[in-house]
Amino acid sequence: MNERSTSTATLTEPYLQVRGIGMTFGAVTALSGVDIDIRPGQVHALLGENGAGKSTLMSIISGTQTPTSGSVVVDGVARTGLTPTDALALGISIVHQTPALLPDLTVSENLVLAIPRNLRPSVFEMGPWVTEKLAVVGCTVHPDTKCGDLPIAERQLIEIAKALATETKVLILDEPTAPLVQDKVDLLFERVRRVAAAGVAVVYITHRIPEVRELADTMTILRDGRVRGSYDPQTLTDDDIITLIAGRNVDAVFPPKGTGPTAEGLVVEHLSSPDFEDISFTVGAGEIVGLAGVAGNGQVALLRALAGLNESTGIVRLGGEQLALKSSADAHRAGIAFMPADRAGEGVLPDFSIRENSALGAFGRFVSHGIIDKNRESRLTTAMSTALTVKAPSVETPVGNLSGGNQQKVVLARALLAEPTLVLAEEPTQGVDAGARAEIYLQLRAAADAGMAIVVLSSDAVELEGLCDRVLVVSRGAVVESLSDEAVTEHNMMQAMVSATGHRKSTTATGTTPADGPPNRLLRSLPAYTLLGAIVLLSLIATTQNARFLGEANLVSVLLTTTALGFIALGQMLVVMTGGIDLSVGPLTGLVLVIMSFFWFDGASVASLLSGVAIAVVAAVIVGAVNGGLIRGLGFTAVAATLVTYIGIQGISLLLRPEIDGYVDFAILDVINYSVGPVPVAFVVAVLAAVALGVVLRFARPGIALRASGSNSAIAEKVGVRTGLTVTAAYIGCSLMTMLGGVMLVGQVGVGDPNQGIGFTLSAITAVVVAGTLLRGGSGSPIAVLLGALLLQVILALANFLRLGTAWQYWLQGAIVIAAAVLYIGLQQRNSVRKR
């Protein structure tokens, strides 16, 4: 057979051409001299082993990577460095193998970021439009569901719907069916055929040869970063295609099956949870048992319960010993190794090396007298990496640099290196090429032959048939069929799935979020309600001890101090939502006070008053820009960058006002502190600012982009967010809000004192934390932050009225922070478990 065959003849000119594309990562060559033509109306399959360069090539075409050499020709114009925004503007859409969705954003918000304004309605009308677009791919999740709360299959459907919703000219699908069940695959194929018939060029990356035959007009083979030929898939046999992909004959895909269990392994009796009920089965040592079933029938929850990740009741014994699986740590101590299907989200640490990822679960093998034997660790991890043919320069290569299939091999390596008694493998070959599948099957069988009990959950019935000694078919949360020996066939599994007549006794939904109501609203509003309740409770306690606590004078005082802290805390929230922090807000507040003391003196003219404001604004913008530049431009950490500006600003303040001096005009103080009854006008302004900020963060694209930058900056950049500019803008916004807090401080202090603002750094961070803002970024509520600031001031006032010492003020604040953290984290974990 001639390796360089002629491609399928077409009459259309290519819309997209790849010409001489090369890509290197250090000493590793990922692509070399790649030429491909992508034509309108054609489904062009791209095949190759994991690490062949497919995803790298698609990243270059979609603008997330810049090639080392070569160009991408789009509609006749050569381009050497596309950005994601450029690619979208040219009509190039991509469905990534790992869904490029921001976990802390809702489905609607993800679509707002990814889809151009002219193709979507206003954000206030997004709900019905999103529901309509999701229905196209059979997805029924509510538009207000956070994507991080969804299983990977639903996230993949959203990713596909997102791509189909654009007026795309080139649609790239990178392993789109890996997590999908058959009915969703059929619906996707129908949509792909429809868009191709409408003149869209479709690039379809897959490892599944039957999909290529069913869908593709032509296919191109990549091997070791080079094009090995383009072919009509109908003219080649499966063996021909596999040989072209692997560059060698892949003889036996499945190793010979075992001779049966050699000893007692896993025993499960009457195991139940909200997702399955009264399940009993055994897996002997030396045996591979499969779990089959239509997605959403409880098999995933069953596997995760055995891994200690989902709550369950019943009896689980391993090697004769009864287990209490309350956590994944319990499972690990018992000798259970879990391989999750979502390798990117749960399987690997991308910044860690292959060695570090592989060794994570097997430290007991490498530790001697409390010290890790690095030589032994390196030797064993290298041997396992070699056995699994992980394609990387060395075991020190970061796992994030590997292809998806090679990452999956690292997940398997970690499981096997731990020498467990039981291996739980969830979709162990999802997104893995034919050659790598054979290697994974061989290693799983070798582990069973070594005496391990293996449970494999797979949506691929052929895989279960070829690999497993027995298969349990799960339907509606119960085992409806147990197949063994010659009865383990794809036909028997499918027949058991479709003919099951039992019904679930549990009414808990599995796998998807219903479309009949917005999820998580109570959880999202909980911080505000909790803080409001704490404020009311503490106020009532203080009033019982001193009736003047709710008097007009004290209320005005508390609300004025809250306004100053509230503005600063709202600014701090902006940078925290990007995943950063700003330590310089305290000195900047003091600097604003010092600046105003030079311009707002008794009898100052209007020009002097305005000059003070202008200089304060300029100073705030400069501080924010310097912070953003140090962090995004020079790569400083947020703590280091803002610590530098903290020191610099405080030094400038002390230089300007070495001593306390410069009294502010009383008329100006009266304006700043003006109140209507017990409510300062400035506090009302702060409330309105918090509401407006909440609307911007929730509904305006710049606000959504800011949250996206903190949720996952790499994904945000893939959908066209300019994260560097966005983060810098957040720091500038923080400084401007801090400037407003400084103005309020002028009304309370009335004199130039550079040390007055320092305490606001810790107080602002505390207010943000008690408001439930995620310190890793991506989420936060301005109203809750303002309530957090009010709570802190109520605590201070309470301590003063009850004549408590300064120590009590800190203890009470600390207790509030700890209680809030425990409450929010506990509820988030409970919600996360419920969503699995």
Side-chain angles (χ1 to χ4, degrees):
M1 179 184 61
N2 184 2
E3 191 177 36
R4 250 193 213 282
S5 177
T6 304
S7 65
T8 303
T10 62
L11 298 177
T12 56
E13 290 297 319
Y15 177 74
L16 186 147
Q17 297 171 292
V18 173
R19 288 293 175 261
I21 287 291
M23 188 71 186
T24 59
F25 298 96
V28 179
T29 298
L31 295 170
S32 179
V34 173
D35 292 338
I36 298 177
D37 291 341
I38 308 299
R39 303 176 185 276
Q42 188 181 73
V43 179
H44 193 134
L46 187 62
L47 287 79
E49 289 188 293
N50 292 117
K54 305 182 301 297
S55 294
T56 300
L57 179 60
M58 293 305 106
S59 294
I60 291 170
I61 293 174
S62 61
T64 56
Q65 289 184 332
T66 301
T68 307
S69 60
S71 62
V72 177
V73 181
V74 183
D75 201 17
V77 179
R79 301 173 185 271
T80 56
L82 289 173
T83 67
T85 303
D86 294 336
L88 287 171
L90 292 168
I92 301 172
S93 301
I94 182 169
V95 173
H96 296 275
Q97 183 176 2
T98 301
L101 299 172
L102 283 307
D104 296 301
L105 271 59
T106 66
V107 177
S108 291
E109 290 165 344
N110 271 277
L111 266 63
V112 166
L113 282 181
I115 297 174
R117 177 67 186 89
N118 63 309
L119 299 180
R120 56 177 168 81
S122 72
V123 289
F124 300 102
E125 302 171 330
M126 283 290 287
W129 183 84
V130 171
T131 299
E132 175 189 340
K133 297 303 178 183
L134 295 180
V136 169
V137 294
C139 182
T140 59
V141 301
H142 194 280
D144 285 341
T145 307
K146 278 190 177 182
C147 287
D149 291 338
L150 295 170
I152 189 170
E154 296 298 329
R155 298 203 304 271
Q156 186 74 343
L157 289 174
I158 294 166
E159 179 82 342
I160 295 168
K162 183 176 72 176
L164 293 176
T166 63
E167 290 182 352
T168 184
K169 295 181 180 178
V170 178
L171 175 61
I172 302 169
L173 301 170
D174 190 354
E175 291 286 351
T177 63
L180 303 183
V181 293
Q182 190 58 49
D183 63 328
K184 306 296 185 186
V185 172
D186 294 339
L187 187 57
L188 171 63
F189 282 8
E190 186 274 330
R191 292 297 302 173
V192 170
R193 294 188 189 99
R194 187 180 301 178
V195 297
V200 174
V202 179
V203 180
Y204 192 87
I205 303 173
T206 185
H207 292 116
R208 302 172 186 264
I209 296 173
E211 292 183 357
V212 176
R213 296 196 184 284
E214 182 176 351
L215 198 61
D217 301 301
T218 186
M219 66 178 184
T220 294
I221 307 294
L222 273 182
R223 188 170 72 245
D224 298 327
R226 296 178 179 271
V227 173
R228 303 297 174 172
S230 294
Y231 308 87
D232 180 346
Q234 308 306 327
T235 64
L236 301 177
T237 67
D238 287 2
D239 288 340
D240 291 337
I241 296 174
I242 291 173
T243 300
L244 282 168
I245 292 171
R248 63 189 186 281
N249 290 320
V250 181
D251 299 324
V253 175
F254 298 105
K257 294 189 178 183
T259 57
T262 57
E264 181 178 326
L266 173 69
V267 177
V268 176
E269 296 179 354
H270 309 296
L271 200 66
S272 298
S273 85
D275 299 295
F276 56 84
E277 188 159 2
D278 197 24
I279 287 184
S280 301
F281 65 94
T282 63
V283 183
E287 188 177 29
I288 300 180
V289 172
L291 294 179
V294 177
N297 276 266
Q299 61 269 36
V300 173
L302 170 61
L303 200 73
R304 296 182 73 90
L306 295 174
L309 296 170
N310 283 6
E311 295 181 1
S312 62
T313 59
I315 297 173
V316 178
R317 292 196 300 272
L318 187 61
E321 182 179 349
Q322 185 166 331
L323 308 180
L325 300 176
K326 301 299 183 183
S327 67
S328 59
D330 292 337
H332 181 74
R333 283 192 293 269
I336 299 174
F338 175 56
M339 296 172 55
D342 185 3
R343 57 176 170 260
E346 298 181 294
V348 298
L349 299 172
D351 295 330
F352 279 35
S353 67
I354 295 171
R355 172 182 57 79
E356 291 167 324
N357 271 278
S358 301
L360 277 175
F363 281 132
R365 299 184 63 184
F366 311 129
V367 175
S368 177
H369 305 294
I371 304 297
I372 295 177
D373 185 340
K374 290 294 185 182
N375 291 331
R376 178 174 173 78
E377 180 189 54
S378 180
R379 186 171 64 254
L380 290 178
T381 54
T382 299
M384 183 60 72
S385 178
T386 302
L388 288 168
T389 63
V390 177
K391 293 184 178 180
S394 74
V395 292
E396 300 305 320
T397 303
V399 167
N401 292 351
L402 304 181
S403 66
N406 281 300
Q407 290 181 12
Q408 184 71 5
K409 293 179 184 180
V410 174
V411 174
L412 175 59
R414 179 170 65 238
L416 298 183
L417 274 173
E419 296 185 327
T421 304
L422 171 66
V423 175
L424 305 173
E426 182 185 0
E427 302 289 357
T429 62
Q430 181 172 282
V432 173
D433 62 71
R437 287 186 183 202
E439 292 157 358
I440 291 174
Y441 297 149
L442 185 64
Q443 291 296 327
L444 288 174
R445 177 53 66 183
D449 292 343
M452 298 181 196
I454 314 286
V455 178
V456 175
L457 188 158
S458 177
S459 57
D460 187 340
V462 174
E463 178 171 271
L464 295 175
E465 177 183 343
L467 179 64
C468 299
D469 303 302
R470 289 188 293 121
V471 171
L472 307 176
V473 181
V474 181
S475 177
R476 296 183 175 93
V479 175
V480 296
E481 189 73 64
S482 178
L483 306 172
S484 58
D485 300 327
E486 300 300 321
V488 179
T489 66
E490 180 183 13
H491 177 270
N492 288 342
M493 285 181 243
M494 295 302 298
Q495 185 177 43
M497 292 179 204
V498 301
S499 61
T501 57
H503 292 278
R504 291 283 306 281
K505 295 180 182 179
S506 172
T507 58
T508 303
T510 61
T512 63
T513 303
D516 56 0
N520 294 330
R521 278 194 174 169
L522 179 60
L523 184 63
R524 294 177 194 176
S525 303
L526 184 64
Y529 291 134
T530 302
L531 292 169
L532 185 59
I535 290 166
V536 172
L537 178 62
L538 290 176
S539 298
L540 291 175
I541 292 173
T543 302
T544 61
Q545 302 299 315
N546 191 326
R548 290 182 302 162
F549 187 85
L550 291 180
E552 181 174 323
N554 188 56
L555 286 178
V556 169
S557 176
V558 168
L559 293 180
L560 281 173
T561 56
T562 296
T563 304
L565 177 59
F567 278 126
I568 300 168
L570 288 172
Q572 187 72 252
M573 182 199 69
L574 292 177
V575 299
V576 169
M577 289 177 72
T578 68
I581 198 166
D582 191 347
L583 301 179
S584 68
V585 294
L588 179 58
T589 307
L591 177 61
V592 171
L593 176 60
V594 167
I595 290 171
M596 296 312 181
S597 72
F598 284 100
F599 292 91
W600 288 5
F601 50 83
D602 188 17
S605 65
V606 173
S608 179
L609 297 177
L610 295 178
S611 295
V613 174
I615 292 174
V617 169
V618 170
V621 171
I622 291 174
V623 169
V626 169
N627 282 333
L630 290 174
I631 294 168
R632 296 297 301 189
L634 298 181
F636 279 51
T637 64
V639 171
T642 57
L643 183 59
V644 168
T645 51
Y646 178 110
I647 296 170
I649 295 168
Q650 189 62 17
I652 293 172
S653 295
L654 290 170
L655 183 64
L656 294 174
R657 287 288 187 197
E659 304 291 339
I660 299 175
D661 197 3
Y663 290 90
V664 178
D665 191 338
F666 281 105
I668 296 175
L669 301 183
D670 290 340
V671 171
I672 294 173
N673 298 328
Y674 182 77
S675 301
V676 178
V679 181
V681 172
F683 179 75
V684 176
V685 173
V687 172
L688 294 175
V691 171
L693 190 57
V695 171
V696 170
L697 291 171
R698 179 71 175 86
F699 297 109
R701 193 181 190 282
I704 297 172
L706 184 145
R707 291 163 50 212
S709 298
S711 181
N712 188 311
S713 61
I715 292 178
E717 289 173 357
K718 286 183 178 180
V719 297
V721 175
R722 300 172 65 182
T723 56
L725 181 62
T726 300
V727 170
T728 301
Y731 277 92
I732 293 174
C734 176
S735 294
L736 289 172
M737 295 296 287
T738 299
M739 188 270 295
L740 294 177
V743 171
M744 291 305 305
L745 184 62
V746 171
Q748 297 164 42
V749 177
V751 65
D753 183 354
N755 295 311
Q756 280 291 331
I758 292 177
F760 281 103
T761 294
L762 181 59
S763 298
I765 294 172
T766 303
V768 170
V769 171
V770 299
T773 307
L774 298 177
L775 292 181
R776 61 172 173 78
S779 180
S781 166
I783 290 296
V785 168
L786 193 59
L787 287 171
L790 177 57
L791 176 61
L792 296 182
Q793 298 310 310
V794 167
I795 290 173
L796 292 177
L798 173 65
N800 290 330
F801 267 78
L802 299 183
R803 302 182 183 278
L804 301 177
T806 304
W808 273 100
Q809 296 178 15
Y810 285 104
W811 290 340
L812 286 171
Q813 290 186 47
I816 291 291
V817 171
I818 292 172
V822 170
L823 175 63
Y824 302 149
I825 291 172
L827 287 170
Q828 288 167 0
Q829 289 178 341
R830 181 178 179 183
N831 183 64
S832 177
V833 169
R834 184 179 63 83
K835 287 291 182 182
R836 290 178 183 144

